[in-house]
Amino acid sequence: MLTAVTIFLGAFLLFAVEPLVAKKILPWFGGSAAVWSTCLVFYQTALLIGYVYARAITRYLRPRMQTTLHICLLGASVLLLPIGPGERWKPSPLGEPLWLILGILTATIGLPFVALSATSPLLQDWLARGGHKAPYRFFALSNFASLAALLAYPVLVEPSLNARQQSVWWSGAYILFVFACAMVAWRNRAAESGRALDREAAADGEAAVTWRQRSGWFALAACGSMLLLSVTNHIDENVAGVPLLWVLPLAIYLISFVLGFGAAGFYRPALWLRLLAFALGMLGYAIYNIDAVRPIQISLLVFLAGLFVCCVFCHAELNRRRPRAADLTGFYLMIALGGAAGAVFVGLIAPSIFNGVYELPFTLCLTAVLALAFTWNKGDLAARILWAGVAACMIAVFVANVEAYRENSITLRRSFYGSLRVVQSPLVGPEQTRTLFHGTIQHGAEFLWPNRQRRATTYYGPDSGIGIVLRESFAGPKRVGVVGLGVGTVAAYGMPGDTFRFFEINQQVIEIAKSLFLYTRETAARVEIVEGDGRLSLERDTTPPFNVLALDAFSGDAIPVHLLTREAVALYIRHLTPDGVLAVHVSNDYLVLAPVVQQLAQEIGWPAVEVHNHSDRDNLIFPADWVLVTRNSSILRNAAVRLHERPIIARTGLRPWTDGFNNLLQVLKWPKLN
């Protein structure tokens, strides 16, 4: 009983700390979805280290030495409490984010994480050597505990406790775990007879595990991990980097482990292989058109359902191929090695070798090839033909994705902050344009015809909220701050004597705006570009206050939620003149953000008005929503503002967002039913 409780508590704490720490460091790196992907790379790698540790001490040390070493490891890990990085770990603005994140996680939670990750395989091995007949069931138990922790975080923990309270409670629970695990280890110290397990298995004539078997374990585990990260990236990069959307794919991943290892009779290969073929076709269709935008409620269901079926195949096949209990830690070691390899490929290698976001179609190809390989030797010609066809279709989807990203592109770039491409329309003439895409979202465009160049386009037209403010509200030289550069379209409103100060976290965006677009180069205003996260840069900024401060970071991709909190708004107000305007661009395909801004404005006693302009395709102007927060009555009475004003509809039960709390569910756009 104590062993089961310890395994459950260890797995619960292991997965409870993941969103806790990731959310803490998220604002330090611009709210990018890649923060969670990098954290997953660390988690999978640290899990591998824990499994290597469990394998090594059970294979090479006697039980008494295992007990001593493990208790020492547990004691050392307690010295790092309370868990989580403090403010002193906040990075410099120009550091390499990927390696900074890995370094921060290693230094602050590495040892407790390794101790927790070693718990399940280590204690299962001790049980097996003590004569327990079904140690693999505890693997399902540990995954169930991990699932409970993940689901509890956004539903119970995050809304109820701030970051510091979460750290304290987690650290207290970890101390209880250390005591329980030390007791189990102490009980194992005298189990000298347990080392006879391997010799007894050999005496029974059971065949040794082959490298072919180990390769199969590795491939299945790697495929599952790659599916998890690639689907998570796809969801997070198009919506928001928040715990709710982090935990859903990971929860699906864990459920597939629970069912694959813990539910007898759940997996029937003939049925699940048919479901797998359907799921791959569904996912392939969903990503075939890279420019398609679907309601998030629909696309979430599609991707989560597809992920579930694919992961059940990977993990149930792992369970079918599990070895005897004597090689239990070796089996778990290969699972961890495959998981880490898959995470490293998607999180570290793919962004370096792919200039577009090709991880998901690539992983779907791998899944189909694995299914083909595992069904090939069964002698069923129809199954071979089916899976050869599915694999060919997934390869076609992969090729189509590559061609779609390259079509009419004059540059493709990839970094920690996402995938960028600049597309130029092919026909020369007055309608020819050049457009910057970040993922699937347009982040600015410019006409190339000389007499149409440098016109304000897309979300920044003359009748947009920001356009009206910059055109009509300040007669003399003005200072304008803009969080989010895009292609620099806002600079089209610059007049002699004006200063436009842009804050942009992505160096590649800065390079593209300067070299491939004219707005920042040919404006009459003085242009300053500050590299770094907008909020962190504003915290360090000592320049005079702004007449207008525009937040232009919420139109798509992973919206940086940390820019829309009570603490962030207080910072913005300090950087505005008394009659200044905070202009927030809230156009978004998935989220209704105007009520969030209005609620934050009400807290500081400032009026907020939403301005909506209609599209004008002939002039490349899109419909846009801007919320203007100001005490300047002349702006609130402006005829153009009042003409384009529309009411902000409050969301029931919405709480003000803070650095420690946000509720994405309450601001989702739900599809309209006809």
Side-chain angles (χ1 to χ4, degrees), residues 167-315:
S167 176
V168 170
W169 278 101
W170 189 96
S171 300
Y174 183 77
I175 292 174
L176 291 177
F177 160 78
V178 167
F179 278 114
C181 194
M183 291 174 63
V184 175
W186 186 258
R187 191 171 60 186
N188 178 68
R189 74 191 190 285
E192 295 290 340
S193 61
R195 290 189 59 80
L197 186 62
D198 289 329
R199 294 193 297 271
E200 292 171 1
D204 290 340
E206 191 169 348
V209 175
T210 66
W211 278 106
R212 183 175 180 178
Q213 288 175 283
R214 295 184 190 277
S215 298
W217 302 340
F218 175 88
L220 288 167
C223 184
S225 178
M226 291 171 66
L227 285 162
L228 167 64
L229 265 78
S230 56
V231 169
T232 302
N233 284 350
H234 182 88
I235 294 173
D236 281 359
E237 286 183 0
N238 288 287
V239 187
V242 294
L244 173 67
L245 296 183
W246 296 341
V247 303
L248 289 177
L250 189 50
I252 294 295
Y253 179 79
L254 292 174
I255 289 171
S256 68
F257 263 121
V258 173
L259 296 176
F261 278 78
F266 172 77
Y267 180 72
R268 298 199 299 272
L271 171 63
W272 281 94
L273 282 170
R274 288 177 172 85
L275 289 175
L276 179 64
F278 176 77
L280 290 173
M282 178 177 65
L283 291 172
Y285 176 79
I287 65 174
Y288 186 82
N289 182 359
I290 66 171
D291 296 320
V293 177
R294 301 176 180 88
I296 186 60
Q297 296 81 4
I298 296 174
S299 59
L300 262 181
L301 290 176
V302 169
F303 284 101
L304 293 180
L307 176 66
F308 174 71
V309 174
C310 293
C311 284
V312 165
F313 162 74
C314 292
H315 300 150

Side-chain angles (χ1 to χ4, degrees), residues 355-371:
N355 53 14
V357 186
Y358 307 138
E359 297 91 273
L360 184 53
F362 179 85
T363 304
L364 296 183
C365 290
L366 175 62
T367 308
V369 169
L370 276 179

Side-chain angles (χ1 to χ4, degrees), residues 44-285:
Q44 293 280 26
T45 305
L47 190 72
L48 171 61
I49 294 172
Y51 279 30
V52 168
Y53 163 81
R55 171 71 169 175
I57 70 170
T58 55
R59 188 178 181 89
Y60 299 111
L61 298 181
R62 301 179 70 83
R64 191 175 298 274
M65 286 299 297
Q66 294 176 29
T67 297
T68 302
L69 179 60
H70 197 59
I71 290 177
C72 289
L73 175 68
L74 292 170
S77 67
V78 172
L79 299 177
L80 292 179
L81 301 181
I83 202 71
E87 289 297 311
R88 67 188 180 90
W89 289 99
K90 187 177 291 187
S92 63
L94 299 180
E96 172 56 43
L98 189 150
W99 298 110
L100 283 172
I101 292 171
L102 294 177
I104 290 171
L105 295 175
T106 301
T108 58
I109 67 169
L111 197 56
F113 201 95
V114 169
L116 288 168
S117 63
T119 300
S120 182
L122 184 59
L123 270 60
Q124 287 179 60
D125 183 83
W126 290 347
L127 283 173
R129 293 176 187 279
H132 197 284
K133 299 301 183 182
Y136 284 107
R137 290 298 180 91
F138 288 96
F139 189 58
L141 174 66
S142 68
N143 280 283
F144 177 77
S146 302
L147 174 64
L150 280 177
L151 296 180
Y153 186 83
V155 175
L156 300 176
V157 177
E158 188 183 23
S160 305
L161 303 173
N162 61 36
R164 178 168 178 78
Q165 291 170 333
Q166 292 174 29
S167 176
V168 170
W169 278 101
W170 189 96
S171 300
Y174 183 77
I175 292 174
L176 291 177
F177 160 78
V178 167
F179 278 114
C181 194
M183 291 174 63
V184 175
W186 186 258
R187 191 171 60 186
N188 178 68
R189 74 191 190 285
E192 295 290 340
S193 61
R195 290 189 59 80
L197 186 62
D198 289 329
R199 294 193 297 271
E200 292 171 1
D204 290 340
E206 191 169 348
V209 175
T210 66
W211 278 106
R212 183 175 180 178
Q213 288 175 283
R214 295 184 190 277
S215 298
W217 302 340
F218 175 88
L220 288 167
C223 184
S225 178
M226 291 171 66
L227 285 162
L228 167 64
L229 265 78
S230 56
V231 169
T232 302
N233 284 350
H234 182 88
I235 294 173
D236 281 359
E237 286 183 0
N238 288 287
V239 187
V242 294
L244 173 67
L245 296 183
W246 296 341
V247 303
L248 289 177
L250 189 50
I252 294 295
Y253 179 79
L254 292 174
I255 289 171
S256 68
F257 263 121
V258 173
L259 296 176
F261 278 78
F266 172 77
Y267 180 72
R268 298 199 299 272
L271 171 63
W272 281 94
L273 282 170
R274 288 177 172 85
L275 289 175
L276 179 64
F278 176 77
L280 290 173
M282 178 177 65
L283 291 172
Y285 176 79

Side-chain angles (χ1 to χ4, degrees), residues 456 460-475 478 490 492-495 498 500 548 638-641 644:
Y460 318 97
D463 293 326
S464 65
I466 190 66
I468 295 170
V469 169
L470 294 179
R471 279 192 303 111
E472 301 186 9
S473 299
F474 296 93
K478 55 187 174 291
V490 175
Y493 294 102
M495 303 296 290
D498 292 348
F500 280 66
V548 180
N638 181 279
V641 169
H644 294 281

